[in-house]
Amino acid sequence: MNVLFLCTGNSCRSVLAEAIFRHLAPEPLTAMSAGSHPAGYVHPRALALLEREGLSTEGLASKSWDDLPTRPEIVITLCASAAGETCPAYIGPAVRSHWGVADPARATGSETEIEQAFRDAYRIIRHRIETFLALPLPILAKDPVRLKIELDAIGALTPDRAPSRRA
């Protein structure tokens, strides 16, 4: 099962999701990330956060959805459409779900507040991926309607304020 995490710029949230999913998911589950208008770089704060959390940053890059190495079975958008962001619409056969997360790259304020925005995004994404991976995926893979319902419900989840767990 190939999962695509999709944002507009593919510089932060979708890259965080790709790294978290790769770290947590058993084979044969795979993850990739892309953007409809890639920024061309991965946000340095996102990379630093992943390293602090003990996740590999090897191979992470901002890339276009036109350059996907394989066709995804699941596409999860992470843009915060409620904040006025334009969310890319993936065209192609796939189960689609939206897991909106505020863009920490747009955070303003003190260094502490900006770092907190990155930690919050990481925590939300990780919680949702952990919940996704706890689903009965072999069963849901045969029922795309039920899989979409489950994925959409996960997109509304937020973790408690407990500190993130290290790998």
Side-chain angles (χ1 to χ4, degrees), residues 74-90:
I74 297 173
V75 175
I76 298 172
T77 52
L78 296 162
C79 48
S81 53
E85 261 185 282
T86 302
C87 218
Y90 180 83

Side-chain angles (χ1 to χ4, degrees), residues 43-97:
H43 198 290
R45 288 182 191 264
L47 292 172
L49 175 59
L50 290 169
E51 289 171 356
R52 282 194 308 273
E53 291 291 328
L55 278 68
S56 174
T57 59
E58 185 178 338
L60 296 178
S62 177
K63 51 209 163 292
S64 172
W65 60 3
D66 294 326
D67 300 326
L68 297 175
T70 185
R71 183 184 64 81
E73 282 89 27
I74 297 173
V75 175
I76 298 172
T77 52
L78 296 162
C79 48
S81 53
E85 261 185 282
T86 302
C87 218
Y90 180 83
I91 306 299
V95 174
R96 292 171 206 68
S97 188

